[in-house]
Amino acid sequence: MNFLSQMGDQIERRWLVHDYAEDAFPEIVQQAFRDHDADLLTVDVPQVMQWLFVRKSLPDQLQPGEGFGQVPLTVFRSRRFAIDLYHWLDGTTTVHQHGFCGAFRVLQGASLHTVYRWTEHRNVNAYFALGQLEQQQCELLRRGDSHPIVAGKAYIHSLFHLDRPSLSLVVRTVRNPSAEAQYDFKRPGICINPQVEEPALAKVLQGVAVLEQLAHPERDTLIGDYLADADLHSAFQVLQQVARARQRLDALAPLLARCRPEHQGAMERYVRPALANMLREAQLIARRRTVTRPDHRFFLGLLLNVQGRTPLLALIQQRHPGEDAAALAARWLRELAGLDAVEGPRHNALGLPFDDHDVSVFERLLRGDAPTDDARFTEVARALRSSSLFGPVVA
């Protein structure tokens, strides 16, 4: 892996020619990827671990502890940029923007890469905004694929890592002083700064966690009293904490009603849908931990990220050229429905009951077949379209 230091020196020299202009950096990095393509194609997880274990010292680490990625490792560091390797087992990134620029490349495994556009409706404050997050593209990235990173809301994306393990290379500026904060986005319409550390709010969230773990009989009263006088950003943070603990949106109804009257419109239009989607995502990500076959993980990734049957079928055909995409999706659904989940043999890897008829209805919906007068077909189709799990791809 000594070539990574050579690549870093090359990037340094080329960027200096541009007087360290941030706008020039992503293309300089991608050209370096092309120049070192043959070497980069040889890098895998065992090679990285061997390099790590024999080193007596490391470059200054961007992330000394756990953070973005599992075993985040800085392998080259200059004054203005760094080269990082990120290992992934079951990790999935949030939808996020960047406070830096550069490029990334897939070294091992494959990922679903989804790009979004943000339309802001209301900038509540520097930490929180309301708007609409729209999916622009969902693509399959394989070994050798790369993508530029630009700072700010011009590039909002997420990555769902399909293979176990996956390995990513990121070459990035250490910081962009003129860039915005690195915001996260909660589909379908919340933008939040996860870096904010307000000691008082942090303690409130810790207190909420304790009440939820105890299932304290006064928890709704205590949390509701806080929400009745909370700002919108703090209220969302608290409701998000409660939703993670209870895993049911209807269990939040009494707390949503306690929020300030002037916040009720935002709660209905933005906060409630964001919490519902958060629970849906958590369910799918948890299900992924119960399966190991790459195609099953791919299918769960599609359900998590894709909107609409046409892009779903296109991505399946991209991964399995020449095969019947709808039939493959139906087969994976049937197989997942027959797998025991971590909860025990009375549950399956989807957390929902499915029989052969249900699977055939799902396949017909994916094909866009015309409705029939079959009452059972109509009933199952209605249930699938209204399902938080399958609705986005068959509705």
Side-chain angles (χ1 to χ4, degrees):
M1 298 218 313
N2 291 334
F3 77 91
L4 290 173
S5 293
Q6 298 166 9
M7 186 175 79
D9 291 336
Q10 179 191 75
I11 292 170
E12 175 71 30
R13 291 192 301 271
R14 290 177 177 176
W15 196 21
L16 174 60
V17 172
H18 292 268
D19 292 318
Y20 297 118
E22 285 83 6
D23 289 348
F25 191 65
E27 177 52 33
I28 290 171
V29 174
Q30 289 197 284
Q31 182 59 53
F33 288 168
R34 292 188 286 270
D35 293 343
H36 295 269
D37 182 68
D39 287 325
L40 288 169
L41 287 172
T42 68
V43 179
D44 58 14
V45 171
Q47 186 183 21
V48 175
M49 292 302 169
Q50 182 183 37
W51 179 89
L52 172 62
F53 292 163
V54 300
R55 299 282 293 187
K56 301 301 181 185
S57 63
L58 293 173
D60 289 343
Q61 298 294 298
L62 282 183
Q63 296 184 68
E66 293 184 2
F68 187 79
Q70 292 149 307
V71 194
L73 181 63
T74 300
V75 295
F76 178 90
R77 180 79 180 261
S78 78
R79 186 163 53 98
R80 294 176 181 266
F81 75 92
I83 300 178
D84 275 6
L85 295 171
Y86 297 114
H87 302 75
W88 304 92
L89 297 179
D90 293 310
T92 298
T93 71
T94 61
V95 180
H96 61 281
Q97 68 179 63
H98 294 280
F100 54 83
C101 61
F104 71 89
R105 174 172 167 140
V106 180
L107 297 183
Q108 183 177 345
S111 302
L112 279 176
H113 177 232
T114 310
V115 179
Y116 299 88
R117 179 177 63 195
W118 171 255
T119 303
E120 194 157 285
H121 298 164
R122 179 189 169 197
N123 181 22
V124 177
N125 55 45
Y127 311 138
F128 196 68
L130 306 174
Q132 181 67 36
L133 191 68
E134 298 174 272
Q135 187 178 117
Q136 297 295 105
Q137 180 186 21
C138 187
E139 61 182 338
L140 180 63
L141 297 182
R142 295 188 175 97
R143 187 173 200 161
D145 290 336
S146 65
H147 201 285
I149 299 169
V150 296
K153 293 186 176 66
Y155 180 48
I156 300 170
H157 76 136
S158 67
L159 286 161
F160 184 97
H161 301 287
L162 300 169
D163 297 332
R164 197 174 193 266
S166 292
L167 180 64
S168 305
L169 172 71
V170 178
V171 183
R172 50 157 291 184
T173 53
V174 174
R175 61 186 294 269
N176 280 25
S178 62
E180 297 178 295
Q182 189 159 306
Y183 289 96
D184 279 354
F185 297 83
K186 309 296 182 182
R187 293 185 287 179
I190 284 179
C191 170
I192 188 167
N193 184 348
Q195 307 298 327
V196 174
E197 294 184 5
E198 296 181 53
L201 177 57
K203 293 304 175 185
V204 167
L205 294 174
Q206 292 169 15
V208 169
V210 169
L211 291 174
E212 290 298 324
Q213 290 175 38
L214 293 172
H216 195 282
E218 297 297 317
R219 57 184 173 164
D220 274 6
T221 300
L222 294 168
I223 297 171
D225 288 346
Y226 176 83
L227 292 171
D229 195 40
D231 65 276
L232 193 54
H233 169 242
S234 299
F236 175 74
Q237 295 274 56
V238 167
L239 289 166
Q240 184 176 236
Q241 181 93 328
V242 176
R244 289 194 186 105
R246 301 188 188 183
Q247 291 294 305
R248 286 177 37 238
L249 189 62
D250 59 355
L252 272 69
L255 298 177
L256 286 163
R258 292 292 310 277
C259 293
R260 287 161 52 183
E262 62 268 32
H263 290 164
Q264 290 302 317
M267 291 292 159
E268 188 61 29
R269 183 177 178 184
Y270 300 102
V271 173
R272 184 182 177 89
L275 295 174
N277 186 71
M278 185 191 79
L279 293 176
R280 174 181 179 273
E281 289 178 352
Q283 179 187 8
L284 281 164
I285 291 169
R287 295 296 159 192
R288 183 181 63 169
R289 297 190 187 102
T290 71
V291 300
T292 55
R293 275 187 51 184
D295 279 341
H296 291 166
R297 292 166 67 88
F298 176 57
F299 183 57
L300 292 177
L302 294 176
L303 294 178
L304 178 64
N305 292 281
V306 176
Q307 296 175 1
R309 65 183 184 86
T310 301
L312 179 136
L313 295 174
L315 285 164
I316 294 174
Q317 287 179 334
Q318 184 183 347
R319 189 172 171 101
H320 295 278
E323 298 197 44
D324 185 329
L328 272 180
R331 189 182 85 195
W332 296 334
L333 177 58
R334 184 176 291 108
E335 290 169 350
L336 285 166
L339 288 178
D340 289 349
V342 290
E343 296 96 330
R346 293 197 302 168
H347 299 78
N348 63 32
L350 288 166
L352 296 170
F354 270 90
D355 59 24
D356 285 344
H357 180 268
D358 299 334
V359 173
S360 70
V361 173
F362 176 73
E363 181 177 354
R364 289 173 62 185
L365 290 176
L366 284 184
R367 295 186 187 281
D369 289 351
T372 72
D373 294 331
D374 182 343
R376 190 177 174 200
F377 174 91
T378 302
E379 179 185 359
V380 174
R382 185 183 300 114
L384 286 170
R385 289 187 174 116
S386 62
S387 162
S388 64
L389 201 60
F390 298 100
V393 296
V394 298

